[in-house]
Amino acid sequence: MAFTSPALLLLLAMSVFPLLWALYLSFTDYSATRGGPADFIGFGNYTAILTSAQVHQRALTTLIYVVGAVALQTVLGFGIAYLISRRTHGRGLLTTLFLVPMMLSPVVVGLFWRFMLDAQFGVVNSMLGSRGLGQVEWLTRQRTALLSLVVVDTWQWTPFIMLIALAGLTAVPKYLYEAASIDRASEWFRFRTITLPLVWPLLLIAVMFRAIEAFRLFDLVYILTNGGPGVSTETLSFHVYKVAFLGFNTGTASAYGILMVLVVIVLTQLYLRYLNKLKEG
Amino acid sequence: MRYPKRRGRSSVPGRKVRLATAAMLLVATTVAACGDGKDDGTKASAPKAPATIPELTKDPLTLSFIWFDWPPAHALEAFANAEYKKERPSTTIKVNTVPNANWHDAMFTQFAARKTDFDIAILDSQHIGEAVTNGNILDITDFVKNNIDVTAYNPYLLAAYGQFPQAETGKRDENASLYGLPLLGDTWTMIYRKDLIGDKAPQTWDEMISVAQKCQAEHPGVSGLAFHQANGSDAAAVTYNTVNGVYGGNLWDSKARKIEGVLNDAAGQEAMDVLVNKMKPLTAKGSGNWFIDEVNAAVAQGKACIAFNWIAASGGLLDPKQSTLGTTRKQILDKLGFATLPRQKTDLVPLGGMGMHVSAYSAAANQAEALNFMKWFERADIQKKWAAAGGVPSRTDALQSPEFLTAGPFNQVYTDSVPRMRDMWNVPEYARLVDIENTNVNAALNGAKKPKDALDDIAKEQQGVIDSSGRKGGGGL
């Protein structure tokens, strides 16, 4: 206990206390800049958030983004991992190269993609132009802006899925494939009945981590679109930021944050139960 | 047998004591934090600065500013360290900069913590209300009375950068309190390509649009117009407010605190229609997220016939290293012209620029030094030197001085624009009001909303913010 107490105290001060403090503030009308007493208003903040059309709009944007980005990353990440796992030479080098985007700061990634996707001066439109294709307004049109966010997030985080999938693929016992070969099983049959079922649980865990991360997306939105055009790419996290720091409505922002944490906890619990069932099955 | 003994010491009562101690610590910390909030709550308005400058420290001191990252911030640091040091050799000036989009957050999160790493906040004129209401900056009314010659300024400039409650456009309420002094004046200038549209600048807004249209048609690859459209900072909002003013609209009825029905009246609708349906088609494709730098880049690369930008940010346009318009400043100036904004139903132009405000949480020695710096900075001779160093002064004598008028081709534009300026709302809710306007104007400019719907939404949402000060729960959504 004596050895762990510093860590426990740190956890208490840096994690547990802020959470409890935010929970307390979420039932008040406190504002960090205005100061003054934090008046208790019951579930007023929660009711306002849950019934707000603005929040519903951001929730839908976040949902579309999470589903789009995670689905794309899963397909690509698993595909790349599968192709790498079949190679005998250069596997390490390829894996390292593919991991580079994941190592970069999201702000840096956002900045250079912002330059690349610029409609006038960006390299992407320049390449499209050299092939006789028209200019695309990547970051300033409703549909393309959200698509751009999905693409950039996919570029950065596909390696994460790839890494987990690769670990799963390399752990599949070789004798299963050998047995299937003796039975003259087709490539597709082997993939469907051996590879996928064994890698699937691990892949689902990777999907869960990515979904949680994507649900909290803030930095890429801030750098690439600033939530625009209008508010069409504002995610829940970005909206919380605005509530917290533009108007300094600390009570509302705390309730908003607590609700987001609750959503993640509930969904993760349901997901983990499904994973356990899958494991038992 | 030592191991079991140790386990024995960690028996249930021991763990309970430790758990209780941890819980007490948590409760104590919580209570302390609660108490802090309540103590601050008693300080509802700005504390007063002394009427005379207290004795200055003889020890070395760093006087810190906070501003956003742009050329005037670097110019200020260089200028102040060169000139102020002559008077106070032991003082070093440090201008801390943050990205423009983080400027408000960087200052007000520190104000919220009641501890700042800056002594002088360079606030936008519209931030004053929020800072004063929260008691974040010093009330310098008495200091100004004793140390500053207020008759040396255009009254509206003095009011815009220091007064709260906000002054009526063009006036100053001499009975109102002052919380800041001008640091940098600014407004929009019209930048036009003399080689493409001729030496004479368009005189009316309608003429400007038609000239831009003709120029775009005659010069493929060059867009007719370039202006701020981004949804960050106050970019798109200032653009709409400018057109709104020129077409005779009003942002609000400040006395009745009424926005709905005022902003979106016939003049407001006409302004939105002009902006989205007449001006936007003349801009470059994908320019819907352009702000200061992008507009400057378009001008410097010869991609725009007419552009609008803040004067204080236009200096780089004359730098041959950054321009494709010429290899010397003279060659560039042969092609670029700078003029005051065209008139239409009114001649209003946007008020930009910022003032200096002393942090209420700064150490006493630093506050004294800050007041001394402000008194020094507002001297007539220093204002002229600031003008020569690239700054935009606010004293009338400096604005009309040869030092200022010859320092840049756009400086005459500023001097001519001073009597025409109009500001936005200077209220504690400013950050939310400008965000609502920015996002909706940006949506209209980028086809995400119909212009009329966007304007009606701005008026409705802003009115909601203004009316919601007493609302319990859900503020800020």
Side-chain angles (χ1 to χ4, degrees):
Chain A
M1 186 69 181
F3 291 115
T4 54
S5 54
L8 279 175
L9 276 176
L10 202 66
L11 189 72
L12 204 67
M14 306 293 287
S15 195
V16 178
F17 170 68
L19 190 68
L20 292 177
W21 184 235
L23 188 65
Y24 160 67
L25 290 180
S26 73
F27 294 105
T28 69
D29 63 352
Y30 185 68
S31 165
T33 47
R34 286 191 290 276
D39 291 332
F40 185 74
I41 55 164
F43 284 92
N45 288 327
Y46 288 94
T47 314
I49 293 163
L50 292 171
T51 55
S52 161
Q54 304 235 29
V55 176
H56 297 163
Q57 189 188 351
R58 271 71 169 187
L60 183 65
T61 305
T62 308
L63 182 71
I64 294 170
Y65 168 78
V66 170
V67 171
V70 176
L72 197 57
Q73 286 160 30
T74 307
V75 172
L76 285 176
F78 184 77
I80 295 169
Y82 186 68
L83 291 175
I84 289 179
S85 71
R86 289 165 62 91
R87 286 185 67 94
T88 46
H89 298 293
R91 190 193 288 187
L93 181 69
L94 271 177
T95 309
T96 309
L97 282 177
F98 274 112
L99 286 180
V100 170
M102 206 175 83
M103 308 297 175
L104 300 172
S105 152
V107 174
V108 175
V109 171
L111 279 173
F112 74 66
W113 272 98
R114 189 186 156 119
F115 287 125
M116 293 205 307
L117 293 174
D118 188 284
Q120 286 292 315
F121 314 110
V123 69
V124 175
N125 270 0
S126 173
M127 282 166 65
L128 290 177
S130 67
R131 278 160 180 74
L133 298 166
Q135 284 180 318
V136 180
E137 295 184 50
W138 294 106
L139 302 174
T140 51
R141 289 284 148 185
Q142 242 174 329
R143 286 186 184 172
T144 49
L146 195 57
L147 179 71
S148 300
L149 284 175
V150 168
V151 168
V152 175
D153 194 70
T154 300
W155 179 84
Q156 183 169 28
W157 291 110
T158 294
F160 176 78
I161 303 269
M162 181 206 79
L163 195 66
I164 306 274
L166 195 60
L169 286 166
T170 49
V172 177
K174 282 206 171 56
Y175 67 83
L176 292 176
Y177 292 119
E178 285 162 7
S181 298
I182 292 166
D183 290 339
R184 293 190 174 181
S186 69
E187 187 79 11
W188 169 242
F189 185 83
R190 279 191 281 175
F191 175 78
R192 195 164 51 84
T193 56
I194 301 172
T195 312
L196 203 55
L198 287 173
V199 179
W200 189 240
L202 207 57
L203 201 61
L204 286 182
I205 289 173
V207 166
M208 185 182 74
F209 282 128
R210 275 308 307 140
I212 291 171
E213 279 291 310
F215 183 72
R216 300 186 309 164
L217 177 79
F218 171 80
D219 27 32
L220 280 184
V221 177
Y222 188 68
I223 300 289
L224 277 173
T225 64
N226 203 35
V231 294
S232 54
T233 56
E234 271 193 18
T235 54
L236 287 167
S237 295
F238 194 82
H239 196 210
V240 176
Y241 154 74
K242 280 191 165 180
V243 173
F245 296 109
L246 286 188
F248 281 93
N249 292 280
T250 316
T252 311
S254 300
Y256 208 149
I258 295 286
L259 280 173
M260 284 183 67
V261 171
L262 282 177
V263 167
V264 170
I265 289 173
V266 169
L267 291 179
T268 308
Q269 282 304 316
L270 291 173
Y271 195 80
L272 285 174
R273 280 188 187 183
Y274 167 71
L275 275 180
N276 283 335
K277 271 188 188 171
L278 202 71
K279 201 176 162 189
E280 284 162 15
Chain B
M1 296 301 286
R2 287 172 65 191
Y3 180 66
K5 263 190 178 176
R6 281 196 171 187
R7 285 198 59 169
R9 280 193 202 115
S10 298
S11 62
V12 175
R15 280 208 302 274
K16 274 185 178 170
V17 169
R18 272 190 283 272
L19 275 173
T21 311
M24 278 164 64
L25 266 173
L26 188 66
V27 170
T29 324
T30 309
V31 168
C34 285
D36 191 37
K38 281 177 184 170
D39 285 344
D40 287 331
T42 58
K43 195 165 52 181
S45 60
K48 271 190 177 292
T52 51
I53 299 167
E55 192 181 347
L56 301 174
T57 179
K58 291 183 175 68
D59 298 330
L61 183 143
T62 299
L63 189 66
S64 298
F65 290 64
I66 185 164
W67 207 353
F68 65 88
D69 195 8
W70 70 327
H74 305 292
L76 174 66
E77 187 173 281
F79 170 73
N81 276 317
E83 296 295 330
Y84 189 62
K85 262 190 181 295
K86 289 177 187 167
E87 187 143 319
R88 297 276 299 150
S90 60
T91 302
T92 304
I93 306 295
K94 176 85 187 123
V95 180
N96 298 312
T97 56
V98 293
N100 185 297
N102 300 103
W103 181 34
H104 170 268
D105 305 352
M107 293 185 293
F108 283 85
T109 45
Q110 291 195 52
F111 283 147
R114 273 65 175 164
K115 195 176 178 186
T116 58
D117 66 4
F118 53 83
D119 309 303
I120 296 182
I122 299 175
L123 297 178
D124 224 341
S125 56
Q126 306 89 11
H127 293 148
I128 299 172
E130 188 178 356
V132 170
T133 313
N134 297 331
N136 303 139
I137 53 176
L138 298 187
D139 177 344
I140 58 169
T141 313
D142 296 339
F143 166 78
V144 171
K145 271 181 198 158
N146 281 11
N147 296 281
I148 305 292
D149 175 14
V150 291
T151 58
Y153 297 82
N154 174 302
Y156 187 51
L157 287 184
L158 202 62
Y161 301 121
Q163 181 182 313
F164 186 78
Q166 185 174 16
E168 227 177 286
T169 296
K171 293 179 182 169
R172 179 188 162 220
D173 177 0
E174 289 181 14
N175 296 317
S177 296
L178 285 171
Y179 300 88
L181 285 168
L183 170 72
L184 182 90
D186 207 358
T187 188
W188 270 19
T189 175
M190 178 167 66
I191 305 154
Y192 62 101
R193 288 284 297 276
K194 289 191 280 189
D195 56 327
L196 301 185
I197 68 169
D199 285 339
K200 193 169 176 288
Q203 295 300 302
T204 67
W205 208 264
D206 285 350
E207 185 193 348
M208 179 272 293
I209 292 171
S210 108
V211 167
Q213 216 162 16
K214 187 165 173 279
C215 178
Q216 180 170 285
E218 287 172 356
H219 302 92
V222 182
S223 62
L225 294 173
F227 52 82
H228 304 166
Q229 302 178 47
N231 61 347
S233 189
D234 57 3
V238 169
T239 300
Y240 173 71
N241 289 348
T242 303
V243 184
N244 173 288
V246 168
Y247 278 84
N250 284 297
L251 303 185
W252 70 325
D253 176 344
S254 58
K255 281 180 187 156
R257 288 177 71 82
K258 194 169 179 306
I259 295 177
E260 199 160 13
V262 176
L263 179 75
N264 54 341
D265 64 5
Q269 298 285 2
E270 185 185 5
M272 187 59 102
D273 178 61
V274 167
L275 176 62
V276 177
N277 296 322
K278 293 183 180 170
M279 293 173 65
K280 174 66 182 174
L282 299 175
T283 60
K285 202 171 181 182
S287 60
N289 57 359
W290 281 14
F291 194 25
I292 296 171
D293 293 343
E294 290 83 359
V295 169
N296 273 345
V299 174
Q301 294 183 21
K303 297 272 190 183
C305 299
I306 296 174
F308 298 96
N309 216 339
W310 294 110
I311 285 176
S314 298
L317 292 175
L318 307 177
D319 181 0
K321 286 180 195 158
Q322 298 177 39
S323 182
T324 59
L325 297 176
T327 52
T328 63
R329 183 181 159 106
K330 191 185 170 304
Q331 279 180 0
I332 295 171
L333 280 172
D334 285 343
K335 289 183 180 172
L336 286 187
F338 297 87
T340 50
L341 298 197
R343 298 149 201 252
Q344 191 66 32
K345 290 178 181 169
T346 76
D347 66 353
L348 291 172
V349 299
L351 179 137
M354 301 90 194
M356 295 177 281
H357 309 266
V358 184
S359 166
Y361 315 108
S362 184
N366 293 49
Q367 285 183 347
E369 193 71 52
L371 292 173
N372 191 59
F373 178 89
M374 285 160 75
K375 183 179 178 182
W376 168 83
F377 189 79
E378 303 298 338
R379 268 173 26 196
D381 58 327
I382 301 301
Q383 285 277 291
K384 284 178 188 168
K385 282 184 181 175
W386 172 229
V392 183
S394 289
R395 281 180 66 115
T396 308
D397 48 7
L399 285 175
Q400 289 166 352
S401 68
E403 288 92 334
F404 178 63
L405 296 175
T406 55
F410 26 70
N411 286 357
Q412 183 68 55
V413 175
Y414 181 76
T415 302
D416 294 344
S417 298
V418 169
R420 297 169 53 183
M421 288 178 175
R422 179 178 84 165
D423 203 359
M424 291 192 259
W425 344 260
N426 175 1
V427 290
E429 299 89 353
Y430 165 75
R432 291 203 54 218
L433 296 181
V434 80
D435 179 58
I436 289 167
E437 189 154 336
N438 248 338
T439 50
N440 279 290
V441 174
N442 177 264
L445 286 168
N446 290 297
K449 262 188 190 180
K450 288 180 182 165
K452 186 179 183 312
D453 293 347
L455 191 62
D456 288 342
D457 286 350
I458 295 170
K460 192 179 163 195
E461 289 175 32
Q462 287 184 337
Q463 189 68 57
V465 171
I466 291 288
D467 293 344
S468 71
S469 50
R471 193 172 74 181
K472 293 287 178 194
L477 290 173

